Structure formats: structure tokens, C-alpha cells
Amino acid sequence: MTWWREAVVYQVYVRSFADSDGDGVGDLDGVRSRLGYLELLGVDALWLTPFYTSPMADHGYDVADPRDVDPVFGDLAAFDRLVTAAHEHGLRVLVDLVPNHTSDRHEWFRAALDAAPGSPERARYHFRPGRGPDGDEPPNNWSSVFGGPAWTRVSDGEWYLHLFATGQPDLNWTNPEVWADLEKTLRFWLDRGVDGFRIDVAHGMSKPEGLPDSVAAVRTGLLTGGRDGDPRFDDEGVHDVHRMIRAVVDHYPGRVTVGEISVQDNARFGRYLRPDELHLGFNSRLLQAPFTATAVRRAVEQSLASTAAVSATPTWALGSHDVSRPVTRYGGGEQGTWRARAMALLTLALPGTVVVYNGEELGLPDAEIPDEALQDPQWERSGHTQRGRDGFRVPVPWEGGAPGYGFTTGVPWLPMPDGYGRLTVAEQLEDTRSSLSLLRRAVELRRTHPGFTGTDVEWFGAPVGCLAFRRTGSTLVCALNTSTDVVPLPPGDLLLSSRSLDDDLLPPDTAAWLA
Ligand code: NOJ
């Protein structure tokens, strides 16, 4: 069963989706209460960001117990209710898996701190003596993705490795206990009925022996890791971890794994998608491409090249909880909105799986968050030079005209802007020209129109600043105009456009589907 090859997956940032109990934080019962909306949207599956027990140093990507639910999100019974209800709505459920690190409140890390250097408790993580005469310099020169050194010193003088926040110690994947524990976690959720996993930092886990200094200057940042010469990521040993995961998942037919793979080289990226590793993988090419036909075409071509070599299915995303929202990235305001709509049509025309991040269907821009309300660890770790990701994690506005907007009856965990009223789900469902209506129609056509076949694309000649492609062997053509001129459309009957045509011509910042 390969339902995921042409699926639309909706990313639910659980904290920000729907709050059922008025504490201002989204939760699992909240997600369940909105399944009807996801069914209406026509998506095939939802991916839930981490809802496990966590002190929330990185909003759940610091997991203290991977086999339990944090009380802020509900409990295991709420999870079971959600999975049952989702399946009744015809929606599959993917959960996030965080195998690279734990929380510093995980019982293993607490035990490691209580134990002596060299103990088995410390051997589940990367503890090392420091450098310099007093050992007061970090064991190597690696930096944390969130800024600052990747090492923190503990009271007896040893240091521990954390590629992300201080509260996210990296696990030692040469330790068999670490493998056994992940296997247990996989079975735990598979036995509860999940349909697959999104795997966090899928290019992490394994570290080079001896943890050598990085020779090349390494850039920090979530999207820019994994470049050549960065010893922190993409170590050969990681592929054995994926083979183990796949072997477990293969016992449960129809389940899928999708990795976050921040590896820039196409051939190295593709290796994660070999037949005995991950089914799908995100890359960050479209997330980083500016709104120009050249950059977009290049991102698509590179992504297709990275999967074609291993006959894998490409995965497309324009946003996530880690990157500025498309409307803002493409320039903001009305123009940013038109461009984001155009790019949504482009991704939904491509062969493969498409992931839509909650709020993207509403055309939400990034929100401005005042300094005192910022929560992302990036803000503190960068010495207040990077504002972090809170602006694109603001709760989803469902209805009404005042902050809360049907997301919560309490105070939302991040302030919701005053101007969200016109962007709410309720408003947009009523308006056939809204971003939400466009996405619904596009997802519906993608599911019902016979043109959405073919696993590759053929490019056509197009006016300067434009691109046009057809899915191989099919009649579906997608044209995108990133120029400032109105341009003629390729031949064919118009199926859908991201903005009204201008006398049968394609306006700037617009995409169209023809068949
Ligand atoms: C990638 C996740 O998407 C991000 O939100 C998180 O901070 C890091 N991995 C660390 O777990």
C-alpha cells in the first residue's frame, strides 16, 4: 500500500492548532475537534509535531519520555481517541520521532548527571573532558545549530554534546541501549495505530569517531547544516539507524517514514531514500528558493534529481514551523499572498507528496512578536540577534474578530495579531476567492482529475521570468509567472488559476493549471 506517493499531508503544530481546555496551548482533543475541517480540506494525512512529555525547552523537540503524552497536550487516552477519530474521517496519522537527542529531563540524562565520568549512564550520551590545561574549553569546535558552542559543562568538569539547545543532549548511537529504546518507541506508537513517522534531524544521530574538529567553517542554522565538511551531520553510520527503523516499520503494512534531511548534495540526500531506508524525505530547496522562475525551477530540478537516482518519491513543502511563512518570504502584503498562492499550485502540480503546514492554507503571514513574548531558544542562544521561529508558530485563527479567534477561550501562548479576523477559517470558507478555497479546490482536482499522473516533469519554453511544465505522460500543465508582465498561457483548457486571469493572459505572481 503506497497511499503516500501522491498524498497531501497536513502538518499540525499541536501547540498552535486548537486548544480544547482554555489553557492557551493547543492539544490532542483540540486536534480531534477540528478533524472535520481537515476532511473538508481534502488532505490524506496529518503529521503531529511532538506531543510527548517535555519541559518544552524547544517546544517538544526536547523529549523527556518518548512513550507518553505531555499533560499540556492531553494523555494517552486522548491520543487513542484522536487516532480512532482520524481514521473514521479517512485521515492517516503520522507522529514525530526525535531520535537524535532527548531532553535534559529524560531519566537517562538525569541518571547520567548523577553518575561518574566513564559510567554506563554517561555512555548513552556524548560526555567528554574539556580541552585546555583546566579542561575549561569545549572538547571540540562544533557549534550548536541554535548558536553558541555545541557543548555544556557539568559540575564535575565534563562536557556534554548538544547540537541544538542545552536542554537537548545528543544520544550516543554507538550504544546498543539507544537502539533498543528507539525500537521500543517505534513499536509503542505503531501498536497504537499510527500510520507513520516524521523523523526529526534524520541526517543526525551518528557522529564520526573521535568527534573531530570541524575543518571547514560550519554555518549554523536549521536549513544550512549538512554541507560538505560539516562533521556534525550526515555521518555514514546514520544509514544503519534508518535500516533498523525501516525493518521495524515494514512489519506494519502501509506505514510510512518521512525524514527531515538537511543534506545539500543530491547524491548524498538520495542515499537516505534507498529501498531499505526512509520512504520519503524533506529537503529545504523550495524553502530557500526566492520567487523567481529560475530559482524555483532549479529547486524543483534538484529535488527531482535527488530522488530520481534512487527511484524515490519526492516530497514538497513551502513551509514548516522552522521557516518564515511563504507569504512573508515572498515579500509580504498582497504581493506575498499572490505569490504564495501561485507556489501552492506549483507544488500541488508536482509528482510526489506535498506537505502543507497549518495556517499556510489561510495565507497567514509571519506575526510580529514583541521581545518579551519570544520563546524560541534561538532568541536566547543567539544573544538576541536572531528572533527565532515564534512568528510562524502563532496559533491558527478559526473564527471571530478578537485574539483567541476560536483557537482558545484563554490567552494564546503566543500573542495573536489584531488583524487576523479577515484571515480566519470561518471567513475564508465563505469566500470562494480565498486562499483556503483555492487550496481546497486544488487538492480536490489533484485527487479527481486524471491529469495528475506521471512521476517526472517535462519543461516547456516559457517567457522570461516564467516557467511551464507538464507531468510526463499526462496532459496537466502548470505555468508560473514570476515576472512583472502579463504573459500568454501555454495551450490548453484552464483548470484553475491562483488569481483571476487578465483577458486570458497570466498576470504576474500567478500560476495556472491547464489540461
Ligand atoms: C528540527 C525541528 O523541525 C525543529 O523544530 C527542532 O528545533 C530541531 N529539529 C531540533 O529537534
Side-chain angles (χ1 to χ4, degrees):
M1 262 208 303
T2 50
W3 60 271
W4 41 268
R5 279 195 201 283
E6 283 279 336
V8 180
V9 178
Y10 186 91
Q11 180 191 350
V12 175
Y13 193 68
V14 179
R15 217 182 158 72
S16 296
F17 192 63
D19 171 22
S20 71
D21 59 8
D23 66 357
V25 177
D27 48 47
L28 297 177
D29 277 335
V31 180
R32 187 166 53 89
S33 73
R34 298 291 186 179
L35 290 172
Y37 169 69
L38 297 182
E39 193 178 356
L40 196 74
L41 213 52
V43 302
D44 303 284
L46 49 142
W47 145 33
L48 301 168
T49 55
F51 49 81
Y52 316 115
T53 318
S54 167
M56 309 289 165
D58 187 20
H59 286 141
Y61 283 96
D62 50 319
V63 181
D65 182 348
R67 296 182 287 276
D68 205 352
V69 175
D70 194 278
V72 82
F73 298 129
D75 54 21
L76 283 170
F79 179 79
D80 293 341
R81 283 195 294 274
L82 171 57
V83 172
T84 306
H87 288 163
E88 282 165 8
H89 282 269
L91 295 160
R92 291 186 159 89
V93 180
L94 311 186
V95 298
D96 224 309
L97 204 65
V98 190
N100 181 68
H101 44 264
T102 68
S103 158
D104 60 353
R105 306 280 170 80
H106 189 290
E107 61 173 329
W108 278 2
F109 196 75
R110 308 313 296 167
L113 289 183
D114 290 343
S119 59
E121 286 82 358
R122 289 217 171 166
R124 293 169 179 141
Y125 295 91
H126 297 281
F127 278 87
R128 294 284 185 281
R131 295 203 282 207
D134 303 317
D136 56 5
E137 288 165 31
N140 71 17
N141 67 357
W142 294 4
S143 48
S144 148
V145 169
F146 292 153
W151 295 91
T152 290
R153 201 170 193 192
V154 301
S155 57
D156 58 33
E158 278 210 319
W159 298 71
Y160 72 88
L161 177 71
H162 53 87
L163 293 185
F164 294 89
T166 322
Q168 292 169 298
D170 278 53
L171 285 162
N172 172 9
W173 278 90
T174 64
N175 187 325
E177 276 187 89
V178 171
W179 288 68
D181 194 67
L182 183 69
E183 200 171 323
K184 199 166 153 189
T185 301
L186 288 165
R187 291 188 198 283
F188 181 87
W189 296 108
L190 287 163
D191 289 339
R192 292 196 108 86
V194 305
D195 300 283
F197 300 96
R198 179 268 190 186
I199 299 179
D200 189 59
V201 204
H203 53 301
M205 282 86 92
S206 178
K207 309 288 185 295
E209 212 186 319
L211 307 180
D213 270 345
S214 163
V215 182
V218 163
R219 287 168 65 188
T220 58
L222 279 163
L223 303 185
T224 46
R227 290 189 190 280
D228 289 351
D230 181 349
R232 299 173 304 170
F233 297 110
D234 194 29
D235 185 67
E236 191 55 32
V238 71
H239 295 286
D240 287 336
V241 179
H242 290 303
R243 287 188 192 104
M244 178 275 273
I245 294 174
R246 182 62 179 261
V248 174
V249 170
D250 274 351
H251 279 105
Y252 297 77
R255 310 307 210 272
V256 67
T257 52
V258 48
E260 177 207 25
I261 309 168
S262 238
V263 171
Q264 314 299 322
D265 180 81
N266 286 343
R268 293 200 69 86
F269 180 94
R271 299 173 83 232
Y272 288 78
L273 304 180
R274 288 177 290 192
D276 58 348
E277 300 194 37
L278 293 159
H279 298 91
L280 299 169
F282 291 101
N283 69 37
S284 54
R285 295 188 187 281
L286 273 182
L287 299 176
Q288 294 182 288
F291 187 77
T292 67
T294 316
V296 170
R297 176 168 170 172
R298 189 171 159 73
V300 170
E301 284 175 333
Q302 293 294 317
S303 300
L304 290 171
S306 68
T307 49
V310 281
S311 303
T313 300
T315 305
W316 310 99
L318 292 176
S320 81
H321 61 295
D322 290 331
V323 279
S324 179
R325 286 189 174 276
V327 168
T328 302
R329 254 184 13 245
Y330 299 140
E334 217 172 89
Q335 187 177 48
T337 304
W338 290 126
R339 291 176 168 182
R341 290 167 63 117
M343 288 298 290
L345 281 204
L346 177 122
T347 48
L348 286 163
L350 288 165
T353 301
V354 178
V355 183
V356 177
Y357 171 48
N358 62 202
E360 206 170 289
E361 76 279 19
L362 304 175
L364 293 187
D366 292 353
E368 306 244 335
I369 312 284
D371 288 5
E372 61 282 6
L374 288 175
Q375 307 207 12
D376 189 343
Q378 266 180 348
W379 173 238
E380 287 303 328
R381 284 200 64 81
S382 68
H384 295 187
T385 56
Q386 289 174 39
R387 300 188 72 73
R389 300 161 290 178
D390 295 321
F392 17 103
R393 296 176 171 183
V394 170
V396 169
W398 291 95
E399 64 226 355
Y405 296 105
F407 161 73
T408 182
T409 52
V411 180
W413 71 279
L414 280 173
M416 296 174 77
D418 284 334
Y420 264 20
R422 65 192 171 81
L423 293 169
T424 59
V425 170
E427 284 282 319
Q428 296 203 37
L429 281 175
E430 295 298 317
D431 178 359
T432 52
R433 291 155 313 158
S434 67
S435 294
L436 174 53
S437 297
L438 175 74
L439 194 97
R440 264 180 86 186
R441 180 74 186 125
V443 170
E444 187 189 3
L445 277 172
R446 188 179 148 98
R447 182 191 295 218
T448 52
H449 191 278
F452 292 83
T453 54
T455 55
D456 203 354
V457 305
E458 269 168 55
W459 299 92
F460 297 147
V464 178
C466 299
L467 63 80
F469 64 84
R470 183 171 66 186
R471 287 178 63 156
T472 23
S474 110
T475 50
L476 182 89
V477 173
C478 175
L480 172 73
N481 181 1
T482 69
S483 79
T484 50
D485 297 320
V486 174
V487 298
L489 280 167
D493 295 332
L494 184 72
L495 273 184
L496 187 63
S497 60
S498 58
R499 182 181 189 177
S500 305
L501 297 187
D502 189 345
D503 271 344
D504 287 341
L505 297 172
L506 189 65
D509 304 321
T510 307
W513 289 354
L514 304 111

